[in-house]
Amino acid sequence: MKTAIVSGANGFVGSAVVRELVQNGYTVFALDREGCSGNLPQGERVHFVPCELAEMDSLKEKLPEGNYDSFYHFAWAGSAGPARADTALQLQNAQWTVDALRAAKALGCSRFLSAGSVMEHETMAAAYAQGNRPGMGYIYGGGKLIAHVLCMSVAAQIGIDLIWPEITNAYGVGERSPRLVNTTIQKCIRGESPQFTSGTQNYDFVYIDDVARAFRLIGEKGKPFHEYLIGSSSARPLREFLLEMQAAVAPELPFQFGDIPFTGIDLPLSKFDCSETEADTGYRAKISFAEGCKRTMDWWKKQEETE
C-alpha cells in the first residue's frame, strides 16, 4: 500500500496533491490546522490530522511510525499578501520546514519533498546584482531559498532523501489569493481593462492539475537531492501569456501594457527549463494557459453567484 503524509493539505496546492495521490492509490495522512479540512476529498484513504506549523517537531506523537513513501510539505505561513514581506515569519517558515523534515525521518518516511519556488532563483539574481535594490517581495523568496539550503544539509546528515520541486506560477480553480491571474480575471468579469507592465519579462504559468500530477511523479521517480522545476514547458514573455488570456476570456477588453513600471528581475528562459523534470519523471504539462484561464474564470463566476 502506498502511503504519503501531506502538510498544508487543505491549501490550494496541498489539496490538489492529496486528490492526485488518492486517485492513484495512495493512503494520505493530511495535516492542517484544526477545522481546516473543507477542501479535502472524503473517503477511507484520507485521514485528517490537525497540526499547526509550530507543532511539526511533535508529529511523531500524532502519527503512527511506519513505512511512509513520501512526506509532501506545503504548509507555509504568509505565502501571499503583505505577510510575504514579514522577515521574522519567513525565517520561521524555513525552521518549520526543517522541523517537518526531521519529523519525516522520525516517522519512517523514505522521501521528503517541499514546495520550492522559481523565486529562489529570482531572489539570488536580485541579491547578487550590483547596485540592485530588491523589493520586499523577495523576502518570501529568501525564506524559500533558506529552507532549501538548510534542508539539503540536514537531510544529508540525518539520512533521508530530499527532493526539491520548484513551482513557477501555479494558478487555477480553487485559488483565492490576490495574484496576477486571479486579479486580472476578476477585472475582466467586472468589465474593467487590466493594466500591466510592458510585459517583456520572462514568465511561466502552470495549471493546478498539472502541478499536482508533477508532484506525484516527482515523489515517485525523482532523484534524491535534485531540484525539479514544475512549469508549462512553454515559458515566454509575460505579455504573450496575457494576450493569450485576453483572447480566451475577454477578447472585447483592451489589455493595457506599460502603465505600471517593472522593478523586478527578468530571469533568462533557461531558468524555466523543465527538461530534467520531464526526462526523470515523465511529467509534461497538458493544460494550455488559455484553457486554464477559461476554467478559472468559470469557477470565479460560480463563486460570485453563490456568495
Side-chain angles (χ1 to χ4, degrees):
M1 180 176 66
K2 298 182 289 187
T3 310
I5 302 170
V6 179
S7 74
N10 197 56
F12 174 53
V13 177
S15 61
V17 172
V18 171
R19 289 190 294 273
E20 171 72 18
L21 292 172
V22 170
Q23 288 166 6
N24 285 274
Y26 283 79
T27 293
V28 177
F29 290 87
L31 315 178
D32 216 305
R33 292 171 296 169
E34 183 76 52
C36 294
S37 60
N39 295 328
L40 295 174
Q42 301 299 306
E44 61 182 15
R45 286 193 281 112
V46 178
H47 305 279
F48 178 66
V49 181
C51 182
E52 298 284 342
L53 266 169
E55 299 172 341
M56 285 294 167
D57 58 357
S58 64
L59 262 182
K60 57 185 178 293
E61 301 167 11
K62 296 175 178 287
L63 291 173
E65 185 175 344
N67 295 313
Y68 302 97
D69 293 282
S70 301
F71 189 122
Y72 292 87
H73 183 61
F74 297 107
W76 190 277
S79 59
R84 285 169 70 98
D86 185 329
T87 55
L89 179 61
Q90 298 304 334
L91 287 169
Q92 185 64 72
N93 275 316
Q95 181 60 57
W96 284 329
T97 304
V98 174
D99 292 343
L101 173 67
R102 292 187 183 277
K105 173 64 176 178
L107 286 165
C109 297
S110 58
R111 329 194 96 190
F112 183 89
L113 298 87
S114 187
S117 171
V118 73
M119 274 205 71
E120 297 172 45
H121 298 276
E122 192 175 329
T123 298
M124 284 192 290
Y128 291 101
Q130 296 284 59
N132 187 42
R133 301 185 182 190
M136 296 295 282
Y138 289 111
I139 292 170
Y140 164 79
K144 288 287 187 180
L145 182 59
I146 292 167
H148 189 168
V149 174
L150 296 181
C151 285
M152 289 283 284
S153 296
V154 172
Q157 190 269 325
I158 65 177
I160 185 173
D161 287 348
L162 175 73
I163 308 174
W164 201 266
E166 295 170 343
I167 307 170
T168 54
N169 286 283
Y171 74 100
V173 171
E175 186 192 21
R176 293 179 174 273
S177 73
R179 299 172 69 223
L180 181 62
V181 170
N182 279 344
T183 56
T184 303
I185 284 177
Q186 288 166 342
K187 287 179 180 178
C188 291
I189 291 173
R190 295 192 298 266
E192 300 174 8
S193 181
Q195 296 177 313
F196 309 100
T197 66
S198 59
T200 57
Q201 67 270 35
N202 292 323
Y203 225 80
D204 198 11
F205 294 99
V206 57
Y207 190 72
I208 186 59
D209 291 1
D210 285 326
V211 172
R213 185 165 48 83
F215 268 101
R216 176 181 60 81
L217 290 170
I218 292 168
E220 293 173 347
K221 301 177 182 181
K223 297 175 182 177
F225 294 89
H226 279 57
E227 61 184 79
Y228 288 102
L229 194 71
I230 300 175
S232 71
S233 298
S234 61
R236 52 196 189 273
L238 175 60
R239 182 188 181 104
E240 294 183 21
F241 278 106
L242 294 173
L243 289 174
E244 184 177 347
M245 176 195 286
Q246 179 192 30
V249 303
E252 74 287 353
L253 283 177
F255 279 27
Q256 301 178 29
F257 295 94
D259 292 341
I260 300 173
F262 175 64
T263 58
I265 292 292
D266 185 12
L267 290 176
L269 285 174
S270 60
K271 291 297 184 181
F272 298 92
D273 183 9
C274 298
S275 59
E276 187 171 3
T277 310
E278 296 170 3
D280 286 358
T281 72
Y283 161 78
R284 190 173 181 85
K286 296 179 178 179
I287 300 169
S288 70
F289 188 58
E291 175 60 26
C293 287
K294 289 177 184 177
R295 296 184 188 185
T296 306
M297 175 176 264
D298 289 343
W299 178 77
W300 271 114
K301 287 179 177 178
K302 290 179 182 177
Q303 297 307 301
E304 293 184 1
E305 290 173 2
T306 57
E307 294 174 2

